[in-house]
Amino acid sequence: MDENHLQFGGNPPASSEQRVGVYVVIYNDQGNILVCEVDNELHLLGGRVEEGEDHIEAMNREAMEEAGARIDNIELGSLRVY
């Protein structure tokens, strides 16, 4: 794996469907960021906000699904529309 190549998210959807997603940045006291390795690429935790979820619930679900991590302290960062 190329340590200088970080992939954040997958390819955008082929359709023009607008969707809401979240990324979760989890770091420890030393400043190390938790990432997932998929097909020899590093990814931040994250994904789509499901119907009926708010951003916080989606972040907790994605962290648990992708890393088995429970989040105790969440701070919302930037919200952007692409």
Side-chain angles (χ1 to χ4, degrees):
M1 175 178 6
D2 179 0
E3 293 181 14
N4 295 316
H5 176 76
L6 295 178
Q7 173 75 32
F8 299 116
N11 294 322
S15 72
S16 61
E17 172 190 0
Q18 185 176 4
R19 60 185 196 166
V20 177
V22 295
Y23 287 109
V24 183
V25 179
I26 299 175
Y27 57 91
N28 62 15
D29 293 337
Q30 291 78 37
N32 299 313
I33 296 175
L34 177 64
V35 294
C36 291
E37 183 178 351
V38 179
D39 297 328
N40 289 326
E41 294 181 338
L42 299 177
H43 296 262
L44 288 174
L45 309 177
R48 177 180 280 205
V49 177
E50 302 292 340
E51 187 174 335
E53 281 184 324
D54 62 28
H55 291 89
I56 302 292
E57 292 167 330
M59 291 166 66
N60 273 307
R61 179 181 50 76
E62 290 293 345
M64 183 57 70
E65 286 177 359
E66 296 181 9
R70 190 182 64 127
I71 304 173
D72 293 322
N73 185 13
I74 294 180
E75 295 179 26
L76 286 179
S78 299
L79 298 175
R80 295 190 176 121
V81 177
Y82 294 96

